[in-house]
Amino acid sequence: MDLSLFCQNNLLYTQEKLSKHKPGGYHPVTLGDTFKNGLYETHYKLGYGGFSTVWLAKDKDQNQWVSLKVMIADSSKSNELQNLKFLEKHSGGNLSSNHIVQLLDDFTHDGPNGALQCLVFELLGPTLDMVLTEYSEGNDKLNPEDILRMSMQLLKAIKFIHSIGMCHGDISGRNIAFPCNNMLNHEKDVLDVLGLLEIESLAYIDGSPLDNGLPTQLVKAAEWIDFIDEDEEDIRLIDMGESFLPGEEPEKSAQPSILRIPETIFTDRFDYRLDLWRAGCIIYAFLFTNYPFRYFDRDEYLIFQMIDFVERLPIEWEPQWKTIQTKISRNLEINEGYETSKFERMFAENVHDPELQPLLQVVQGLMRFLPSNRITAEEALELLYSKMQETGTTTA
């Protein structure tokens, strides 16, 4: 879609792709729109992704704020609702007790771009990535007790998901969020906390009418500029759209570049244990407010950073690694002079709180190159509890 045909504004380029507002794509939501016979009314855009937009909505029957996820019309490949129902069945309907976002309602809505699925969730605040960015930019760290609590909650969520034979499939900072209980308990106006409401009308420069499937306005996603004590809230795992059961692994896994799992680089195969590597990366981020690796356009440079981060490269992967180095005309001696891992050295230099010491072995156990060598979420929790008892640490 040629964006130069429209009256120009920043939201044309910073929000969801306008080209996806077409048959099979995004529904053209306008603030004040109602869904399910007027039950839910939209007030703000909370966010967006490749397959949905998410809106702050008021449930008029319950007089409460909720998150309304409006899927693209062509969401036949998404199993999110099916996966949520499966998890709900095994949690007695109380997903939040397992630190998974609570599904409140679901329905179908007919729009100009097709019939689309809508999911209603408990209201969630900023994502973990948003919180980490705020802490990192402020040169600040999360409180030790919050780091420990969130690590335990993440592991409990993964333990539950794995215990019923499912893999989350896309654990990342963008798929971990915080409820708004503290904010609501302080009776703070939700709309004030979200930030300045920024709206731009969508119009063609020549004044011709908009196509039926295009929105009449563009809305900036929430920035959560004044959220209260976000890191003191219990975490919620969100977005079950990439989840799968054993034997039903997709051909490709949703992988943010910095969270790429090593087995897909060396073997092009993966299973539920990808959640474990990702959990190690997230706990690292809890500790340091950033992720362990950076991405420089090629997987090869990601491997450079991974080698000896927590352990040596597996012997069975060495021949392939030598081939990769020849291809990129670089050489890195592997497993030579190895005494302590990079993570151990970084942990020793930067983490001095006694209550956080158990996380060293937890991250080391989760971030093993070979999936078969990774400790399970249950084993990680047991290790954490054991080490906490040794140090006399307690947490909620």
Side-chain angles (χ1 to χ4, degrees), residues 91-128:
S91 67
N94 190 4
L95 287 174
S96 60
S97 67
N98 290 293
H99 305 292
I100 298 169
V101 63
Q102 185 67 46
L103 178 68
L104 303 176
D105 194 9
D106 65 273
F107 57 91
T108 301
H109 182 83
D110 290 322
N113 290 326
L116 40 97
Q117 193 173 77
C118 297
L119 307 177
V120 182
F121 297 101
E122 61 178 315
L123 178 61
L124 296 181
T127 65
L128 174 63

Side-chain angles (χ1 to χ4, degrees), residues 45-60:
K45 185 166 75 177
L46 297 177
Y48 59 90
F51 299 96
S52 65
T53 55
V54 184
W55 301 83
L56 173 71
K58 178 59 75 74
D59 179 338
K60 294 184 178 180

Side-chain angles (χ1 to χ4, degrees), residues 11-31:
L11 299 187
L12 269 175
Y13 304 93
T14 61
Q15 303 303 297
E16 68 273 12
K17 290 183 178 180
L18 199 61
S19 60
K20 292 191 68 173
H21 281 279
K22 61 181 182 180
Y26 292 121
H27 178 64
V29 180
T30 300
L31 295 183

Side-chain angles (χ1 to χ4, degrees), residues 207-247:
S208 59
L210 293 171
D211 300 335
N212 193 34
L214 289 174
T216 58
Q217 61 182 207
L218 304 174
V219 184
K220 184 179 180 180
E223 294 184 333
W224 294 100
I225 62 169
D226 196 22
F227 195 66
I228 298 174
D229 300 327
E230 60 275 355
D231 53 311
E232 294 181 5
E233 299 267 8
D234 290 343
I235 67 169
R236 295 285 191 272
L237 264 182
I238 63 175
D239 196 346
M240 307 301 296
E242 298 290 336
S243 302
F244 58 85
L245 297 172

Side-chain angles (χ1 to χ4, degrees), residues 158-355:
I158 297 172
K159 175 186 173 183
F160 166 69
I161 293 171
H162 288 186
S163 73
I164 60 174
M166 181 174 277
C167 172
H168 182 280
D170 192 16
I171 292 173
S172 65
R174 69 188 181 191
N175 286 333
I176 295 173
F178 300 86
C180 297
N181 297 328
N182 286 341
M183 179 183 68
L184 297 175
N185 289 340
H186 281 77
E187 297 183 353
K188 197 169 182 69
D189 192 324
V190 174
L191 296 176
D192 289 340
V193 175
L194 293 173
L196 180 66
L197 181 59
E198 189 173 334
I199 305 172
E200 294 285 354
S201 296
L202 183 66
Y204 284 114
I205 294 175
D206 64 8
S208 59
L210 293 171
D211 300 335
N212 193 34
L214 289 174
T216 58
Q217 61 182 207
L218 304 174
V219 184
K220 184 179 180 180
E223 294 184 333
W224 294 100
I225 62 169
D226 196 22
F227 195 66
I228 298 174
D229 300 327
E230 60 275 355
D231 53 311
E232 294 181 5
E233 299 267 8
D234 290 343
I235 67 169
R236 295 285 191 272
L237 264 182
I238 63 175
D239 196 346
M240 307 301 296
E242 298 290 336
S243 302
F244 58 85
L245 297 172
E248 298 179 6
E249 291 84 357
E251 291 185 8
K252 294 183 178 181
S253 171
Q255 297 199 68
S257 54
I258 59 173
L259 294 177
R260 183 82 187 269
I261 52 174
E263 58 265 36
T264 58
I265 300 174
F266 284 94
T267 70
D268 201 30
R269 295 191 302 272
F270 63 91
D271 59 22
Y272 72 95
R273 291 170 293 195
L274 72 88
D275 285 349
L276 303 174
W277 176 275
R278 292 282 197 89
C281 291
I282 294 296
I283 294 174
Y284 176 99
F286 289 156
L287 289 163
F288 299 101
T289 68
N290 53 48
Y291 292 101
F293 311 117
R294 298 177 64 189
Y295 195 76
F296 299 99
D297 298 325
R298 298 179 66 165
D299 291 339
E300 291 84 355
Y301 297 107
L302 188 61
I303 302 168
F304 271 108
Q305 299 170 71
M306 288 180 178
I307 291 176
D308 289 347
F309 178 74
V310 295
E311 66 171 347
R312 304 181 181 195
L313 189 74
I315 294 175
E316 53 264 53
W317 288 1
E318 288 185 13
Q320 188 174 349
W321 175 232
K322 290 178 180 178
T323 301
I324 290 173
Q325 291 187 96
T326 300
K327 183 168 58 176
I328 62 176
S329 302
R330 288 194 61 179
N331 185 57
L332 176 69
E333 292 298 327
I334 51 177
N335 303 338
E336 185 171 308
Y338 179 93
E339 295 179 0
T340 59
S341 71
K342 296 174 186 176
F343 176 63
E344 283 178 286
R345 296 194 295 271
M346 179 179 291
F347 195 94
E349 292 170 5
N350 296 282
V351 181
H352 307 296
D353 298 282
E355 59 265 50

Side-chain angles (χ1 to χ4, degrees), residues 128-143 147 150 281-292:
L128 174 63
D129 275 351
M130 295 173 71
V131 172
L132 291 178
T133 297
E134 182 177 341
Y135 272 84
S136 181
E137 289 178 349
N139 243 352
D140 202 0
K141 299 291 184 184
L142 295 166
N143 291 326
I147 293 172
M150 291 191 296
C281 291
I282 294 296
I283 294 174
Y284 176 99
F286 289 156
L287 289 163
F288 299 101
T289 68
N290 53 48
Y291 292 101

